[in-house]
Amino acid sequence: MELISSLGITSSQYLSKERFISYHHRSRLLFSLGSQVKNVLEIGIFNSLFTEILRQSNYNVTTADIDPNLKPDIMLDLTADFILPKDKFDAIVLFQVLEHFPYEKSELALQKLAAITKKYLVISIPNATEYLSLQIKTSFLLKARHLLWEIPQFWSTTPLCDEHYWELGLKGYPKKRFLESVAKAGLIVREEYVDPTFPYHYFLILEKI
């Protein structure tokens, strides 16, 4: 796995319109958990934007990453036999991270994080689909209305991103398989969400049983 800081990605390239949509839903889902969540472990960082959003909203945030160039609070390799303090973090968040390892290692990491978190995991993973999205927005509607049709790319084995080992919906990785991995980790799905304007990111709030 290549370190993200070695890929030559600039901030302007990373902070696309779609990325800001993702930031919105990361924040929205975490905020929806209310005052019971105060201490957050953020795994997988590239810039400090989401960290700052949380800190300015009075969360206690600890950052973790495998890339030393990003200067995380904790150096962490999710594919190794890592140790983190148990029940210190009300929520562990990791967005677009698990797909960077072979699926079996991703599944094991999910189990370890489920054992460590006090209550929640808030995650996103890539969602490989062919889709049609329609938006209806007028001056008479307070919110836009959307229609979304999706077909998982079950005939393909090629992730959209070269850095990904797998993506949800590809051949061998149906949604059912991932949800079975969630249950195996001792978690239940409290909420799941796909934004119709950017359905490539599949968000979940997972709660410890």
Side-chain angles (χ1 to χ4, degrees):
M1 182 179 67
E2 291 188 82
L3 301 181
I4 193 169
S5 62
S6 70
L7 299 178
I9 303 172
T10 65
S11 292
S12 60
Q13 290 172 322
Y14 189 79
L15 295 177
S16 62
K17 177 183 177 180
E18 290 78 14
R19 189 73 59 177
F20 276 107
I21 291 173
S22 181
Y23 280 130
H24 166 70
H25 293 300
R26 295 177 189 190
S27 306
R28 179 183 64 81
L29 291 171
L30 187 63
F31 294 166
S32 74
L33 298 176
S35 59
Q36 60 185 314
V37 172
K38 203 66 180 174
N39 298 308
V40 177
L41 174 64
E42 180 188 3
I43 300 176
I45 56 176
F46 177 60
N47 56 41
S48 60
L49 180 56
F50 187 59
T51 307
E52 288 305 312
I53 290 172
L54 296 185
R55 286 177 175 164
Q56 289 184 27
S57 300
N58 297 317
Y59 288 90
N60 301 318
V61 184
T62 302
T63 60
D65 203 286
I66 194 175
D67 192 339
N69 299 311
L70 302 179
K71 299 179 172 59
D73 299 319
I74 299 172
M75 287 295 301
L76 179 65
D77 180 356
L78 287 177
T79 65
D81 190 18
F82 61 88
I83 297 176
L84 290 170
K86 188 175 181 180
D87 292 337
K88 175 181 178 180
F89 304 107
D90 303 311
I92 297 175
V93 301
L94 57 163
F95 303 105
Q96 305 304 111
V97 172
L98 292 173
E99 66 276 5
H100 289 277
F101 327 124
Y103 189 85
E104 292 72 19
K105 291 187 177 182
S106 301
E107 188 177 49
L108 186 58
L110 194 65
Q111 293 171 19
K112 292 179 180 179
L113 294 174
I116 290 164
T117 188
K118 189 173 182 179
K119 189 67 173 176
Y120 298 108
L121 292 182
V122 185
I123 72 172
S124 71
I125 54 176
N127 182 36
T129 64
E130 297 293 336
Y131 69 91
L132 173 64
S133 178
L134 300 177
Q135 181 188 74
I136 301 172
K137 187 175 183 181
T138 74
S139 58
F140 304 105
L141 295 173
L142 294 177
K143 291 184 178 181
R145 301 292 187 264
H146 292 90
L147 294 174
L148 176 64
W149 291 274
E150 293 183 279
I151 301 175
Q153 295 179 0
F154 57 84
W155 59 86
S156 175
T157 59
T158 306
L160 181 63
C161 177
D162 292 339
E163 303 300 318
H164 295 175
Y165 281 87
W166 57 275
E167 293 182 353
L168 196 71
L170 292 179
K171 186 176 181 179
Y173 304 103
K175 180 179 177 181
K176 179 181 178 182
R177 180 180 180 184
F178 185 76
L179 293 181
E180 287 173 350
S181 297
V182 167
K184 186 177 178 181
L187 299 163
I188 59 171
V189 177
R190 172 167 171 156
E191 184 175 345
E192 56 184 327
Y193 183 76
V194 172
D195 190 301
T197 63
F198 186 48
Y200 183 55
H201 287 188
Y202 171 52
F203 294 90
L204 299 111
I205 298 178
L206 305 176
E207 185 173 352
K208 194 172 184 175
I209 299 175

